[in-house]
Amino acid sequence: MNNNRNNFGKQLLCLLFAMSFLFVGCQKQSPQVAQPPTTQTKPDVVPQPTDAQEPQPTQASAPLPQPKQTQPNTLPPSMPSMENIFIQMPKTTTQTQTETTLPEKPEPILETKPFWQSENTLQWNNLKSVATAAQHAYDDLSKKLGLISKNGKMYTYYTQKRITTDDLVSAGYLETGLQAADYEILLLNGNDVMYYPGAEVPPKSMRFCVFVAAHQADGTYLLSTIDGKAGVLSAASYTALMNRYNQNHNLIGKLSSTSAEYSRILNFIGLYEGKLEDYFVREISKDDKYAVVTFSGKQNTADIKQHILRNDNNFWEVVYTNLQNVYTPITSINQSLPDFNLDLLPKYTLASWKSYLKKNDAALTDTLLSKKIINAPDQIYYQCGTSDYFYIVLTNGARYVAYYINGAWQITHVNSDYAAKNFISARTNTDYGFLILDD
């Protein structure tokens, strides 16, 4: 009996010892399940302010909310998606469709940007797209269609039609989706635009090129070129800029050879040419700002020149020289002098006729002698022509038109320079004004 008791006591003592050992070990190794975390995990893309209060501990069973990933340059909820509005340009390299791939990190919005820039990203993109389309059209078609700046806006000279986004769509330079009334397509010189507050013309656009303007609700105008944003102008600055390109300088007329202004302009021509001499003037057309002079020296009537002069406080200055060598005068002059009224130009392009001009013709002189119109060649005061038509003025003032037909020169008397011009025009439906002297 005693042995059984002793054995039972020993077993009980061992059991109590083992339980105490297990109890102490569990306290040292058990995880802190019930303890809340002492620090809070912060999202990588949302920095917390330094003075923020310590956040409340979260329950262990509830996962931490993930920071909402944002997409840069997303549209406001009321705006259509970029995929439906963005305009693809023809004849340029197609961009890969990377726009729908979210970047790992949103692009930061610089504090130096105007407050509206992030909201109007779509509008700036569309402005640049229209400017790119119009610039490509101008580069490709300006000479063929006579694309010009008329009072600052892009026009076709031959049809007198203003270019809109609808025209760019029809020509294949722009896709549909934009309202023509929302955009004004302009042809301006970037140096002129930079004169006005708010202009930010890209360096590559500091030249005569396409600008596109969009009128805003606050009265301002957004400007863009093919190279990007070109600034924001106030309504007053925009109006002043357009007035700078105004081509209306009062009535256009031809100067009479008896007027004082006629002589003054020829004196300035002489100063520019570096020699004072008498000229055979074909015509001088002018308005209150510009004049176009077509003339030759008396020694060589076939050496016809054309200069454009500008009136600055009654001082005439040659501003475009040797127009007789320019085969595309419409676009060339418009690029250099965008406020010049192209209606001042004659209907003919002198460069197209230069190689056909002749100061005399031996067979014609013989015909004049045989018909007793002259007794000697020195009785011819003026003559100039082509292989088909000549205009002759004698020292006695008599005027004749000669035309070559059936291998011989036919000669007709006319009463005036004006009658001579009309006579040739009626036969050819062509302006031969470069042959006819100014009455």
Side-chain angles (χ1 to χ4, degrees):
M1 174 69 74
N2 290 330
N3 290 332
N4 292 334
R5 288 178 180 177
N6 290 334
N7 292 332
F8 178 76
K10 291 178 179 180
Q11 293 175 354
L12 180 61
L13 183 60
C14 290
L15 179 61
L16 291 173
F17 180 80
M19 290 178 62
S20 64
F21 179 80
L22 290 173
F23 179 76
V24 173
C26 289
Q27 282 191 334
K28 292 180 180 181
Q29 300 178 8
S30 60
Q32 298 178 0
V33 176
Q35 295 296 325
T38 57
T39 60
Q40 182 179 7
T41 303
K42 300 178 182 179
D44 292 338
V45 296
V46 184
Q48 296 291 337
T50 56
D51 57 349
Q53 296 181 355
E54 185 71 20
Q56 296 297 322
T58 59
Q59 296 297 327
S61 60
L64 289 175
Q66 296 295 323
K68 185 175 181 181
Q69 191 172 10
T70 60
Q71 181 179 357
N73 299 330
T74 54
L75 303 176
S78 62
M79 299 294 289
S81 67
M82 187 68 94
E83 294 178 358
N84 294 333
I85 280 296
F86 187 76
I87 305 302
Q88 298 287 342
M89 293 307 308
K91 304 179 182 178
T92 57
T93 304
T94 304
Q95 296 180 349
T96 56
Q97 299 297 325
T98 58
E99 290 83 354
T100 57
T101 302
L102 294 176
E104 295 180 358
K105 191 174 182 180
E107 293 291 337
I109 299 176
L110 300 179
E111 295 180 356
T112 57
K113 291 182 179 181
F115 73 95
W116 40 258
Q117 182 162 348
S118 59
E119 299 176 1
N120 286 355
T121 300
L122 174 62
Q123 190 167 19
W124 282 114
N125 286 342
N126 284 342
L127 274 169
K128 184 177 179 181
S129 296
V130 176
T132 301
Q135 186 66 58
H136 288 325
Y138 180 77
D139 294 340
D140 294 343
L141 304 173
S142 60
K143 294 180 180 179
K144 179 179 179 181
L145 301 181
L147 295 178
I148 62 167
S149 173
K150 182 177 181 180
N151 301 323
K153 299 179 181 180
M154 186 188 285
Y155 270 77
T156 57
Y157 174 76
Y158 300 113
T159 62
Q160 291 296 301
K161 182 183 185 302
R162 186 168 69 89
I163 300 299
T164 68
T165 56
D166 291 341
D167 299 307
L168 298 176
V169 171
S170 299
Y173 288 92
L174 193 66
E175 291 187 0
T176 58
L178 300 178
Q179 296 295 323
D182 295 340
Y183 303 92
E184 290 188 348
I185 301 174
L186 315 172
L187 274 172
L188 309 172
N189 193 306
N191 293 287
D192 293 337
V193 179
M194 279 300 295
Y195 177 81
Y196 298 94
E200 302 175 24
V201 180
K204 291 183 179 180
S205 297
M206 296 295 287
R207 59 188 177 93
F208 185 79
C209 63
V210 172
F211 284 74
V212 175
H215 189 211
Q216 303 300 290
D218 62 357
T220 61
Y221 287 83
L222 308 185
L223 292 179
S224 179
T225 70
I226 189 174
D227 300 307
K229 176 184 174 183
V232 182
L233 299 188
S234 67
S237 293
Y238 185 78
T239 300
L241 175 62
M242 292 296 100
N243 288 338
R244 190 171 186 150
Y245 286 77
N246 178 32
Q247 295 179 353
N248 182 14
H249 309 300
N250 294 327
L251 294 177
I252 294 175
K254 294 189 182 298
L255 280 181
S256 169
S257 58
T258 60
S259 67
E261 192 77 346
Y262 188 98
S263 299
R264 291 182 66 247
I265 289 176
L266 289 183
N267 287 336
F268 284 108
I269 290 289
L271 290 173
Y272 176 79
E273 291 288 321
K275 51 186 177 181
L276 296 176
E277 63 172 303
D278 293 333
Y279 296 106
F280 282 134
V281 178
R282 307 320 195 261
E283 59 182 329
I284 299 178
S285 58
K286 67 174 287 293
D287 56 19
D288 285 352
K289 186 170 185 178
Y290 290 102
V292 179
V293 184
T294 306
F295 66 99
S296 72
K298 291 194 172 183
Q299 297 300 317
N300 184 1
T301 58
D303 185 18
I304 304 175
K305 294 184 178 182
Q306 276 185 330
H307 295 329
I308 297 177
L309 294 84
R310 180 169 54 208
N311 187 351
D312 185 9
N313 294 323
N314 292 323
F315 180 85
W316 288 97
E317 178 186 6
V318 176
V319 292
Y320 197 104
T321 65
N322 297 319
L323 185 57
Q324 73 277 2
N325 298 326
V326 180
Y327 286 89
T328 56
I330 299 299
T331 53
S332 297
I333 295 172
N334 187 249
Q335 291 170 0
S336 299
L337 304 170
D339 66 332
F340 174 85
N341 191 334
L342 294 168
D343 291 340
L344 283 168
L345 294 176
K347 295 179 180 179
Y348 54 83
T349 299
L350 193 54
S352 301
W353 289 97
K354 276 196 65 177
S355 60
Y356 301 100
L357 294 175
K358 303 168 66 176
K359 65 178 182 179
N360 54 47
D361 185 277
L364 174 58
T365 303
D366 291 340
T367 303
L368 291 170
L369 289 168
S370 65
K371 291 182 176 293
K372 306 298 184 182
I373 296 175
I374 60 174
N375 297 320
D378 60 3
Q379 290 182 319
I380 300 175
Y381 171 71
Y382 166 85
Q383 62 176 327
C384 184
T386 67
S387 58
D388 296 317
Y389 285 91
F390 254 83
Y391 185 52
I392 305 113
V393 179
L394 303 184
T395 54
N396 62 8
R399 286 160 164 77
Y400 298 89
V401 172
Y403 54 97
Y404 197 77
I405 186 171
N406 297 327
W409 284 105
Q410 306 297 320
I411 301 174
T412 299
H413 177 265
V414 290
N415 293 323
S416 66
D417 298 327
Y418 182 76
K421 186 175 183 179
N422 288 342
F423 177 85
I424 299 176
S425 178
R427 290 179 58 87
T428 64
N429 198 28
T430 302
D431 188 353
Y432 275 76
F434 50 89
L435 300 182
I436 313 301
L437 291 180
D438 217 356
D439 261 334

